[in-house]
Amino acid sequence: MSGTLSLRNNISTRQEKIAQLSRQSPSMVWTTLAHHIDVEWLAEAYRCTRKDGAVGVDGVTAKEYESNLLGNLESLLERFKSGSYQAPPVRRVFIPKEGAAGKMRPLGIPTLEDKILQRAVLMVLEPLYEQDFLDCSYGFRPDRGAHKALKGLRDGVMALGGAWVIDLDIQSFFDTVSKKHLAEFLDKRVRDGVIRQAIGKWLNAGIMEEGQLTYPEAGTPQGGVLSPLLSNIYLHEVLDRWFERDVKPRLLGRAFLTRYADDAVLAFSSEKDARRVMDVLAKRFGRFGLTLHPEKTRLVDYRPPPFRKDTGATKDTARGSFDMLGFTLYWGRSRRGYWVVMLKTAKKRLARAVKRISEFLRSARHWTMAEQQAELNRRLQGHFAYFGITGNYPALSRLVRITQRMWHKWLGRRSNSKRLTWERFNQLLQRFPLRQPRIVHRYYA
């Protein structure tokens, strides 16, 4: 245990040195970084790698790899440093797309060794780029996350007293990232030959689907731990820096940007500013091979109701609310009667949670009551951990009530059960109670 802690402290110290030098020299191009990656570095990368996931194209499991861990890591390091490492194809499978009935989305599964090496490279690059990334970016970054993004968005809109919001949606972002432009963006900071060669191999490794190998012309490594960082680097250049450096100085009023991965919201105090930026966004993204969704990217009149136009929504302007990261942001009255930005579970996300619980109850209707209760409470607790936000108690309570009704329904369909009345079911709930809503994230008083 002490050896593991010492190793982690050693790696952390080396990462802090990278971060410190990056802060001191924001325009420096790094030509030597791979020397930080040694066997100890790979061992820490292996520790941080998930080991219970599906196997890649080589079929190697974590148990098999760990049987000769030191030898395997030494071999991986030698191949990485010598340039002989060959990035294997990513195995692609399809899983149901959340919130879209009947639709499937691709899931990339790299090999275990690929995950380890990508994690090791991430551990080098992350402290470097964290000094470059702007405060408006929250996705896949240390000590940030979805709830901080939502709080920043809410506080920003409140500071503006309402805003004209561009709800931005990029079509198939992770699959359409231009490799050429990504290489240009990386050149600005990282030109270490060993690391850049490895990134290039991952970008061109190909995808194995049902025995067929294909090589997409665009996109980041599917399923790889390095993909979110590469995507952040891409959008840092395409959107974040452009908005701060080129757009904001030309605006009439105040504005801010909140971005979580490829999910972004731009807020403006001036309608004219918002429309001017809306007019150039598609061209800006198109320059870098990206396409904005023509229907989902929209301008929202997101001001308190007393200040919104009474003419209603037009074909290019929505009114009243918008969604981000599973929440609907809307205007509501505070306890003191003021108009404030409030958040509630988005309809699609609530419907998704209900569907998953219904599917579980249907498949587990012959489990014991205690087993069903334990699993239902685990699912509810997970939902509350994310959606348990100030002002969202009604939506959480609604999920509990719906869960109770579905539980009653499926218990009543047991082949060996008598008719389950609500009186009898309520008695059972006293013995096997469901978790009640809990507010975890307090954004405002």
Side-chain angles (χ1 to χ4, degrees), residues 27-99:
S27 60
M28 182 180 76
V29 177
W30 295 69
T31 57
T32 56
L33 278 168
H35 66 278
H36 290 285
I37 300 178
D38 53 20
V39 172
E40 283 190 346
W41 196 279
L42 288 177
E44 177 63 10
Y46 176 77
R47 188 191 69 80
C48 297
T49 298
R50 180 180 173 183
K51 303 171 183 65
D52 59 348
V55 297
V57 294
D58 61 358
V60 175
T61 65
K63 184 177 180 180
E64 294 168 343
Y65 198 83
E66 201 167 304
S67 63
N68 183 26
L69 182 60
L70 180 59
N72 286 329
L73 293 181
E74 288 176 341
S75 171
L76 177 60
L77 179 64
E78 191 280 327
R79 284 177 281 138
F80 168 63
K81 292 292 182 71
S82 67
S84 62
Y85 178 78
Q86 297 298 319
V90 174
R91 184 166 71 89
R92 174 187 273 177
V93 296
F94 286 85
I95 61 175
K97 187 175 182 179
E98 296 178 342

Side-chain angles (χ1 to χ4, degrees), residues 47 54 85 90 103 135 217 265 283 295 298 329 340:
R47 188 191 69 80
Y85 178 78
V90 174
K103 293 186 178 180
D135 289 340
E217 295 182 359
V265 168
K283 184 176 180 181
E295 297 176 358
R298 61 191 188 128
L329 285 81
V340 296

Side-chain angles (χ1 to χ4, degrees), residues 54-332:
V55 297
V57 294
D58 61 358
V60 175
T61 65
K63 184 177 180 180
E64 294 168 343
Y65 198 83
E66 201 167 304
S67 63
N68 183 26
L69 182 60
L70 180 59
N72 286 329
L73 293 181
E74 288 176 341
S75 171
L76 177 60
L77 179 64
E78 191 280 327
R79 284 177 281 138
F80 168 63
K81 292 292 182 71
S82 67
S84 62
Y85 178 78
Q86 297 298 319
V90 174
R91 184 166 71 89
R92 174 187 273 177
V93 296
F94 286 85
I95 61 175
K97 187 175 182 179
E98 296 178 342
K103 293 186 178 180
M104 308 291 283
R105 70 176 181 89
L107 177 67
I109 305 173
T111 64
L112 177 65
E113 199 164 62
D114 226 20
K115 294 177 184 177
I116 298 168
L117 191 53
Q118 284 195 36
R119 174 74 64 180
V121 172
L122 175 68
M123 288 162 53
V124 171
L125 296 183
E126 188 173 72
L128 187 164
Y129 277 104
E130 273 300 305
Q131 318 315 311
D132 295 353
F133 292 155
L134 304 181
D135 289 340
C136 62
S137 167
Y138 292 88
F140 306 105
R141 294 182 58 190
D143 302 320
R144 291 191 156 243
H147 288 99
K148 289 187 177 180
L150 290 164
K151 185 177 187 305
L153 176 57
R154 178 196 179 272
D155 293 348
V157 171
M158 289 292 293
L160 293 180
W164 289 85
V165 164
I166 296 177
D167 185 6
L168 190 151
D169 186 275
I170 307 172
Q171 287 192 139
S172 304
F173 169 71
F174 290 93
D175 294 330
T176 56
V177 167
S178 164
K179 298 175 184 179
K180 174 185 175 183
H181 289 301
L182 178 57
E184 293 171 353
F185 297 152
L186 287 168
D187 280 343
K188 294 182 178 182
R189 283 295 251 165
V190 178
R191 295 186 186 176
D192 179 289
V194 175
I195 286 180
R196 289 296 300 276
Q197 185 180 50
I199 293 176
K201 289 178 179 180
W202 286 319
L203 289 172
N204 296 291
I207 296 172
M208 181 69 72
E209 180 183 338
E210 296 182 349
Q212 298 295 317
L213 182 61
T214 59
Y215 296 92
E217 295 182 359
T220 56
Q222 286 206 351
V225 295
L226 193 60
S227 183
L229 176 66
L230 296 178
S231 300
N232 270 335
I233 292 171
Y234 204 86
L235 286 177
H236 170 73
E237 297 289 342
V238 173
L239 180 60
D240 302 355
R241 288 186 72 239
W242 171 73
F243 187 74
E244 289 293 327
R245 179 189 59 199
D246 299 333
V247 175
K248 288 177 69 174
R250 294 176 169 83
L251 300 179
L252 300 173
R254 293 180 292 164
F256 71 91
L257 163 68
T258 299
R259 181 177 66 80
Y260 187 96
D262 61 330
D263 196 354
V265 168
L266 294 78
F268 305 83
S269 62
S270 163
E271 178 184 359
K272 185 176 181 180
D273 286 338
R275 293 191 180 279
R276 287 170 58 203
V277 174
M278 186 75 170
D279 288 341
V280 301
L281 271 177
K283 184 176 180 181
R284 171 66 184 180
F285 279 81
R287 177 183 169 189
F288 297 97
L290 303 175
T291 304
L292 297 183
H293 196 291
E295 297 176 358
K296 294 182 180 180
T297 298
R298 61 191 188 128
L299 181 61
V300 182
D301 182 356
Y302 192 68
R303 294 174 295 168
F307 300 100
R308 289 205 298 263
K309 295 179 180 179
D310 295 329
T311 54
T314 64
K315 67 177 183 178
D316 65 340
T317 308
R319 288 184 57 196
S321 66
F322 63 94
D323 292 353
M324 186 175 188
L325 299 175
F327 288 90
T328 296
L329 285 81
Y330 67 101
W331 287 97

Side-chain angles (χ1 to χ4, degrees), residues 16-28:
E16 179 53 37
K17 289 181 179 178
I18 296 173
Q20 184 178 2
L21 185 54
S22 183
R23 278 193 301 270
Q24 293 172 351
S25 307
S27 60
M28 182 180 76

